[in-house]
Amino acid sequence: MRSIAVTMWVTLDGVAQGLGRPDEDTRGGFTHGGWGQRYNDEVMGREMAQSMAKPGDMLFGRRTWQDFITAWGRSTDGNPVTAHMNAATKYVVSRTLPDADAWPGSILLRGEAVDVVAELKAQPGDDLSIIGSVSLVQSLHAAGLIDHYTLVICPLALGVGTRLFDDASPLTEFDLTSSVTTTTGVIIAHYDRRTPDAA
Protein backbone atom coordinates (compact mmCIF):
# COMPACT_ATOMS: atom_id res chain seq x y z
CA MET A 1 0.00 0.00 0.00
CA ARG A 2 1.24 3.48 -0.84
CA SER A 3 1.66 6.13 1.81
CA ILE A 4 0.36 9.68 1.43
CA ALA A 5 2.42 12.64 2.68
CA VAL A 6 1.17 16.23 2.82
CA THR A 7 3.25 19.42 2.78
CA MET A 8 1.23 22.43 3.89
CA TRP A 9 2.08 26.04 4.76
CA VAL A 10 0.02 27.20 7.75
CA THR A 11 -0.16 30.23 10.02
CA LEU A 12 0.01 29.95 13.80
CA ASP A 13 -3.79 29.88 13.85
CA GLY A 14 -3.88 27.12 11.26
CA VAL A 15 -4.88 29.08 8.14
CA ALA A 16 -3.71 27.46 4.91
CA GLN A 17 -5.53 29.64 2.39
CA GLY A 18 -3.88 31.77 -0.27
CA LEU A 19 -0.26 31.76 0.84
CA GLY A 20 1.28 32.39 -2.58
CA ARG A 21 -0.18 35.63 -3.96
CA PRO A 22 -3.07 38.07 -3.38
CA ASP A 23 -5.39 36.51 -5.99
CA GLU A 24 -4.53 32.86 -5.31
CA ASP A 25 -7.69 32.02 -3.36
CA THR A 26 -10.18 34.74 -2.48
CA ARG A 27 -13.05 32.42 -1.55
CA GLY A 28 -15.08 33.65 1.39
CA GLY A 29 -13.83 37.20 0.83
CA PHE A 30 -10.28 36.28 1.92
CA THR A 31 -8.08 39.37 1.56
CA HIS A 32 -4.74 38.22 3.03
CA GLY A 33 -3.45 36.29 0.03
CA GLY A 34 0.32 36.15 -0.41
CA TRP A 35 1.13 35.91 3.29
CA GLY A 36 3.69 33.13 2.86
CA GLN A 37 6.19 34.70 0.45
CA ARG A 38 7.99 36.85 3.03
CA TYR A 39 9.17 33.74 4.88
CA ASN A 40 11.22 32.12 2.11
CA ASP A 41 14.92 31.70 2.87
CA GLU A 42 17.81 29.38 2.11
CA VAL A 43 16.87 26.95 4.89
CA MET A 44 13.35 26.53 3.54
CA GLY A 45 14.64 26.20 0.00
CA ARG A 46 17.04 23.47 1.07
CA GLU A 47 14.38 21.59 3.04
CA MET A 48 11.88 21.70 0.17
CA ALA A 49 14.53 20.60 -2.34
CA GLN A 50 15.45 17.63 -0.13
CA SER A 51 11.82 16.65 0.11
CA MET A 52 11.37 16.86 -3.64
CA ALA A 53 14.47 14.75 -4.24
CA LYS A 54 12.61 11.69 -2.95
CA PRO A 55 11.02 9.62 -5.70
CA GLY A 56 7.26 9.44 -5.76
CA ASP A 57 4.03 10.48 -7.42
CA MET A 58 1.97 13.57 -6.69
CA LEU A 59 -1.68 14.05 -5.86
CA PHE A 60 -3.66 17.26 -6.44
CA GLY A 61 -7.09 18.75 -6.11
CA ARG A 62 -8.36 20.49 -9.23
CA ARG A 63 -7.77 24.11 -8.15
CA THR A 64 -4.17 23.52 -7.03
CA TRP A 65 -3.36 21.43 -10.10
CA GLN A 66 -4.60 24.19 -12.40
CA ASP A 67 -2.71 26.83 -10.43
CA PHE A 68 0.52 24.80 -10.46
CA ILE A 69 0.41 24.41 -14.25
CA THR A 70 1.18 28.12 -14.55
CA ALA A 71 3.63 28.28 -11.65
CA TRP A 72 5.58 25.08 -12.35
CA GLY A 73 4.35 23.23 -15.43
CA ARG A 74 5.57 25.84 -17.91
CA SER A 75 8.81 26.69 -16.13
CA THR A 76 12.27 25.62 -17.30
CA ASP A 77 14.25 27.37 -14.56
CA GLY A 78 16.37 24.36 -13.55
CA ASN A 79 14.95 24.44 -10.02
CA PRO A 80 14.89 20.91 -8.51
CA VAL A 81 11.30 21.45 -7.37
CA THR A 82 10.29 22.34 -10.94
CA ALA A 83 12.13 19.33 -12.32
CA HIS A 84 10.49 16.99 -9.80
CA MET A 85 6.98 18.25 -10.49
CA ASN A 86 7.32 18.03 -14.24
CA ALA A 87 8.85 14.54 -14.12
CA ALA A 88 6.44 13.06 -11.56
CA THR A 89 3.21 11.28 -12.31
CA LYS A 90 0.54 13.73 -11.20
CA TYR A 91 -2.88 12.45 -10.18
CA VAL A 92 -5.59 15.13 -10.14
CA VAL A 93 -8.86 14.45 -8.33
CA SER A 94 -11.84 16.17 -9.91
CA ARG A 95 -15.52 15.69 -10.68
CA THR A 96 -15.52 18.53 -13.24
CA LEU A 97 -12.29 18.45 -15.29
CA PRO A 98 -12.87 16.99 -18.76
CA ASP A 99 -9.27 15.73 -18.98
CA ALA A 100 -5.79 16.26 -17.50
CA ASP A 101 -3.95 16.93 -20.76
CA ALA A 102 -2.88 20.48 -19.84
CA TRP A 103 0.10 19.22 -17.81
CA PRO A 104 2.04 16.26 -19.26
CA GLY A 105 2.31 13.32 -16.90
CA SER A 106 -1.08 14.01 -15.30
CA ILE A 107 -3.79 11.41 -14.77
CA LEU A 108 -7.39 12.36 -14.01
CA LEU A 109 -9.07 10.59 -11.09
CA ARG A 110 -12.76 11.26 -11.62
CA GLY A 111 -15.18 10.76 -8.75
CA GLU A 112 -15.46 11.25 -5.01
CA ALA A 113 -12.06 12.11 -3.57
CA VAL A 114 -12.04 9.63 -0.69
CA ASP A 115 -13.13 6.74 -2.89
CA VAL A 116 -10.74 7.30 -5.80
CA VAL A 117 -7.75 8.08 -3.56
CA ALA A 118 -8.38 5.08 -1.31
CA GLU A 119 -8.40 2.90 -4.42
CA LEU A 120 -5.19 4.50 -5.70
CA LYS A 121 -3.49 4.16 -2.32
CA ALA A 122 -4.30 0.43 -2.19
CA GLN A 123 -2.58 -0.19 -5.52
CA PRO A 124 1.13 -0.98 -5.79
CA GLY A 125 3.29 1.95 -6.82
CA ASP A 126 5.30 4.91 -5.59
CA ASP A 127 4.28 6.82 -2.49
CA LEU A 128 2.11 9.90 -3.00
CA SER A 129 2.73 13.49 -1.95
CA ILE A 130 0.35 16.45 -1.77
CA ILE A 131 1.37 20.11 -1.74
CA GLY A 132 -1.48 22.46 -0.91
CA SER A 133 -4.93 21.26 -2.03
CA VAL A 134 -6.50 22.08 1.35
CA SER A 135 -10.00 20.83 0.52
CA LEU A 136 -8.64 17.52 -0.75
CA VAL A 137 -6.42 17.10 2.30
CA GLN A 138 -9.32 17.82 4.66
CA SER A 139 -11.41 15.08 3.02
CA LEU A 140 -8.57 12.57 3.03
CA HIS A 141 -7.61 13.41 6.63
CA ALA A 142 -11.18 12.85 7.82
CA ALA A 143 -11.08 9.42 6.16
CA GLY A 144 -7.74 8.50 7.79
CA LEU A 145 -5.87 8.35 4.49
CA ILE A 146 -3.03 10.79 5.28
CA ASP A 147 0.06 9.14 6.79
CA HIS A 148 2.58 11.98 7.10
CA TYR A 149 2.46 15.76 7.40
CA THR A 150 5.15 18.36 6.85
CA LEU A 151 3.78 21.60 8.29
CA VAL A 152 5.57 24.81 7.34
CA ILE A 153 4.40 26.90 10.31
CA CYS A 154 4.75 30.64 9.68
CA PRO A 155 4.91 33.11 12.60
CA LEU A 156 1.74 35.08 12.03
CA ALA A 157 -1.96 34.77 12.86
CA LEU A 158 -4.58 35.92 10.36
CA GLY A 159 -7.77 35.33 12.31
CA VAL A 160 -9.71 34.46 9.14
CA GLY A 161 -9.37 32.00 6.29
CA THR A 162 -9.64 28.29 5.62
CA ARG A 163 -7.91 26.28 8.33
CA LEU A 164 -6.16 23.00 7.64
CA PHE A 165 -7.83 21.25 10.56
CA ASP A 166 -11.34 22.66 10.76
CA ASP A 167 -14.32 21.84 12.95
CA ALA A 168 -15.04 18.67 10.97
CA SER A 169 -11.57 17.18 11.59
CA PRO A 170 -11.57 14.02 13.70
CA LEU A 171 -9.46 13.59 16.82
CA THR A 172 -6.02 12.56 15.54
CA GLU A 173 -2.69 12.10 17.29
CA PHE A 174 0.70 12.59 15.67
CA ASP A 175 4.33 11.80 16.42
CA LEU A 176 6.87 14.54 15.71
CA THR A 177 9.70 12.90 13.78
CA SER A 178 11.91 15.95 13.13
CA SER A 179 11.83 19.73 12.87
CA VAL A 180 13.89 22.61 11.51
CA THR A 181 13.67 26.33 12.28
CA THR A 182 14.43 28.79 9.48
CA THR A 183 16.08 32.21 9.70
CA THR A 184 12.66 33.87 9.31
CA GLY A 185 11.12 32.10 12.30
CA VAL A 186 9.32 29.37 10.37
CA ILE A 187 9.15 25.92 11.94
CA ILE A 188 9.20 23.07 9.45
CA ALA A 189 7.77 20.15 11.42
CA HIS A 190 7.45 16.56 10.22
CA TYR A 191 4.71 14.41 11.74
CA ASP A 192 3.55 10.82 11.36
CA ARG A 193 -0.10 10.07 12.07
CA ARG A 194 -0.54 7.58 14.87
CA THR A 195 -2.68 4.60 14.06
CA PRO A 196 -5.51 3.98 16.56
CA ASP A 197 -3.67 1.01 18.04
CA ALA A 198 -0.54 3.10 18.62
CA ALA A 199 -2.34 6.08 20.16
Side-chain angles (χ1 to χ4, degrees), residues 52 54-58 60 72-73 75 79-90 103-106 126:
M52 287 295 183
K54 300 172 185 174
D57 297 337
M58 302 191 74
F60 292 94
W72 304 100
S75 177
N79 184 312
V81 175
T82 305
H84 174 84
M85 288 195 183
N86 285 313
T89 300
K90 296 166 282 290
W103 194 355
S106 298
D126 290 333

Side-chain angles (χ1 to χ4, degrees), residues 65-66 69 92 94 96-103 106-108 110:
W65 179 81
Q66 289 177 320
I69 291 171
V92 53
S94 175
T96 59
L97 274 177
D99 58 61
D101 298 340
W103 194 355
S106 298
I107 297 171
L108 178 61
R110 188 182 303 281

Side-chain angles (χ1 to χ4, degrees), residues 94-128:
S94 175
R95 294 188 299 265
T96 59
L97 274 177
D99 58 61
D101 298 340
W103 194 355
S106 298
I107 297 171
L108 178 61
L109 299 179
R110 188 182 303 281
E112 295 299 322
V114 169
D115 296 335
V116 296
V117 173
E119 182 179 346
L120 177 65
K121 183 175 181 178
Q123 296 171 1
D126 290 333
D127 289 337
L128 299 157

Side-chain angles (χ1 to χ4, degrees), residues 126-173:
D126 290 333
D127 289 337
L128 299 157
S129 63
I130 305 174
I131 300 175
S133 300
V134 178
S135 296
L136 174 63
V137 170
Q138 289 173 331
S139 297
L140 301 182
H141 174 77
L145 293 173
I146 306 295
D147 302 290
H148 313 285
Y149 281 93
T150 295
L151 298 184
V152 182
I153 306 166
C154 298
L156 84 161
L158 296 176
V160 296
T162 301
R163 287 169 170 77
L164 174 57
F165 301 113
D166 60 12
D167 293 343
S169 294
L171 173 66
T172 310
E173 292 190 85

